[in-house]
Amino acid sequence: MEFTGAHILSITQFERADIERIFRVADNMEPYAQRKRVTRVLEGAILGNMFFEPSTRTRVSFGAAFNLLGGEVRETTGFKSSAISKGESLYDTARVLSGYSDVICMRHPEAGSVAEFAAASRVPVINGGDGPNEHPSQALLDLYTIRKELADRGRTVDGLRIAMIGDLKYGRTVHSLCKLLCLFDRVQVTLVAPQELAMPGYVVEQMREAGVEVTISDDLLHGIGHVDIAYSTRIQEERFASKDEANLYRGRFRLNQAIYTQYCEPNTVIMHPLPRDSRADANELDNDLNHNPNLAIFRQADNGVLVRMALFALILDVADQVDAHARDVNWYRGGR
Ligand code: NCD
C-alpha cells in the first residue's frame, strides 16, 4: 500500500509486505523510544488525539510516539469536553479538527464512526478503536510483540499456534488480530469463549478462507494446552446492555500461575491488550503471574510506542529522515 497520507482504519487494508515495512521502521525507532537519542523529524507537526472512550495506553502511547518524533499533541477526551455534546456532527468535527492537525487519532464507541470521520477529514486518520469493530494499531503491536517473543524462541509467525481467550464477540483487538494473522502461513488459532461471546462468524470465515486452522472451544484448560501464545482479553462490560449481563461472564476464564504450570507448554507467552480486569470477580490474568518471565503484557504495551512511531513516520513520509534529524540526549540517564 501507499502509506503517505493514508488513513489507517482496518487491518484488511494491509498486505504482508506492508506489515514487514512497518516492523522494519518500528525496529529503527528503538533508541528514540528508549530516549537514548532524540529526533526532531516531525518538528512543527500536530497530532489531534480524539478519544471519546476511556483509554490509557492507546491515547498516551500515540501521544508519546508523536512527541518522540518531535511533534506536538492536542487532545480531546470524552464527549463532554467536545462540541459533539452540543449536537455537532462527526462531519463538521472532522472538517474543523483536520484544519488544526497534520494527523488525527480517534477512538469512538460506534463501529464505523472513525471511517465516517476519516471520509470528511482533510488529514490522515488512524483508528484508535471504533466500538466493537477494530483496533488496527493494537493488532500491529500485538503481532510485533508475537514476532519478537517467538524470535527469542527461534520461531517465526509462520507456524504460530495461538489461543485467544475471553470476550471474542466485543473485543476489537482480537477481531483485528485475527484478520492480521490471515496474512501468515500455517497459523493455528484456538478461540476460547463462552458461546454467547464467540468470535463473529465473518471473522472465522475470513480466517478459514485464508488457510488459518481455527478451533472453537469454551474450555480454557484445553485451549491453552498446545499453543505458543495465550492471548487473554477482558469482558467488554461497556458493550453489554447491563452490568448484570456482563457479570454472567466475568471471571469465567482465569489464568493464574498454577493453571499455567499445569496446563501450558513451557515458555508459552502470555499476552493481553490491557487493561486486565484485576477486580476479584474478574481477574482473567492473575497478579501471581507478574514474575513469570513469559508474561509479555508490559513488553507488549512498550512495543506500542515503536509501532505507533512507525505508523506516523510512514504516513507523514519521514521514515527515511528520522536518523538525519537525530542527536544523542544530553541529560543524565542513570543506569538504564
Ligand atoms: C483494548 C481496547 O480498548 O479495545 N485496550 C487497548 O486499547 N489496549 C482492550 C480493552 O479495553 O479491553
Side-chain angles (χ1 to χ4, degrees):
M1 69 176 271
E2 174 59 49
F3 279 99
T4 308
H7 301 304
I8 306 292
L9 301 174
S10 166
I11 279 296
T12 51
Q13 69 194 85
F14 297 112
E15 291 175 11
R16 183 159 169 166
D18 303 322
I19 305 303
E20 277 153 18
R21 177 125 188 258
I22 295 168
F23 289 177
R24 266 199 311 278
V25 177
D27 285 341
N28 191 50
M29 296 299 180
E30 208 166 276
Y32 306 105
Q34 293 175 352
R35 268 89 75 208
K36 288 182 181 151
R37 284 172 72 70
V38 285
T39 177
R40 311 303 303 163
V41 70
L42 286 187
E43 190 154 31
I46 294 177
L47 164 68
N49 226 4
M50 304 184 60
F51 279 73
F52 298 118
E53 272 195 332
S55 174
T56 304
R57 269 148 294 273
T58 306
R59 181 174 55 83
V60 176
S61 70
F62 266 126
F66 209 74
N67 287 150
L68 286 164
L69 290 167
E72 311 250 350
V73 183
R74 298 278 176 277
E75 202 159 85
T76 307
T77 51
F79 287 111
K80 270 198 209 122
S81 57
S82 151
I84 289 184
S85 67
K86 299 181 184 173
E88 187 165 53
S89 66
L90 276 180
Y91 178 89
D92 287 5
T93 311
R95 297 304 293 174
V96 172
L97 256 293
S98 56
Y100 306 154
S101 318
D102 298 285
V103 57
I104 292 174
C105 292
M106 182 172 168
R107 169 172 288 188
H108 191 283
E110 274 166 47
S113 53
V114 183
E116 185 187 333
F117 182 94
S121 170
R122 293 178 269 169
V123 299
V125 175
I126 302 178
N127 182 359
D130 60 327
N133 184 35
E134 275 221 42
H135 193 346
S137 66
Q138 178 72 40
L140 291 169
L141 77 89
D142 287 343
L143 187 71
Y144 185 79
T145 305
I146 292 170
R147 170 179 159 274
K148 251 191 183 165
E149 299 285 326
L150 290 186
D152 291 344
R153 294 160 175 78
R155 303 275 312 282
T156 63
V157 177
D158 294 313
L160 168 73
R161 302 165 304 159
I162 181 169
M164 298 184 197
I165 304 146
D167 183 350
L168 307 185
K169 178 180 180 185
Y170 296 121
R172 54 192 170 200
T173 74
V174 282
H175 300 166
S176 291
L177 184 55
C178 282
K179 293 176 191 178
L180 186 49
L181 291 175
C182 290
L183 299 176
F184 292 82
D185 299 326
R186 293 174 285 105
V187 173
Q188 297 175 27
V189 177
T190 305
L191 301 172
V192 182
Q195 273 162 22
E196 301 85 341
L197 301 184
M199 180 66 71
Y202 87 95
V203 180
V204 175
E205 250 167 62
Q206 211 168 307
M207 282 196 284
R208 288 192 169 136
E209 267 165 34
V212 176
E213 195 182 313
V214 183
T215 307
I216 292 173
S217 166
D218 58 4
D219 178 356
L220 174 71
L221 304 182
H222 175 255
I224 58 176
H226 302 285
V227 293
D228 307 298
I229 311 277
Y231 186 110
S232 169
T233 65
R234 177 180 69 87
I235 300 297
Q236 307 282 296
E237 63 179 21
E238 63 275 35
R239 312 271 176 238
F240 288 78
S242 70
K243 259 216 157 104
D244 287 346
E245 196 192 341
N247 283 340
L248 295 174
Y249 307 104
R250 211 193 296 277
R252 183 82 66 93
F253 301 121
R254 298 172 188 230
L255 184 55
N256 60 27
Q257 186 59 48
I259 292 174
Y260 180 90
T261 308
Q262 193 176 344
Y263 293 94
C264 291
E265 288 179 1
N267 293 324
T268 301
V269 180
I270 306 163
M271 293 177 60
H272 191 300
L274 300 179
R276 56 178 158 169
D277 187 342
S278 294
R279 289 171 288 194
D281 58 345
N283 227 10
E284 67 265 6
L285 269 191
D286 200 291
N287 285 328
D288 71 0
L289 289 159
N290 286 358
H291 298 292
N292 183 327
N294 297 297
L295 184 76
I297 56 176
F298 301 118
R299 296 193 285 277
Q300 192 181 350
D302 285 350
N303 288 335
V305 174
L306 299 175
V307 169
R308 290 176 171 130
M309 288 176 82
L311 287 176
F312 288 133
L314 285 163
I315 293 170
L316 297 176
D317 197 20
V318 293
D320 297 333
Q321 300 169 54
V322 171
D323 298 332
H325 292 264
R327 59 171 170 76
D328 290 337
V329 298
N330 44 23
W331 62 80
Y332 173 69
R333 297 189 65 258
R336 283 196 291 181

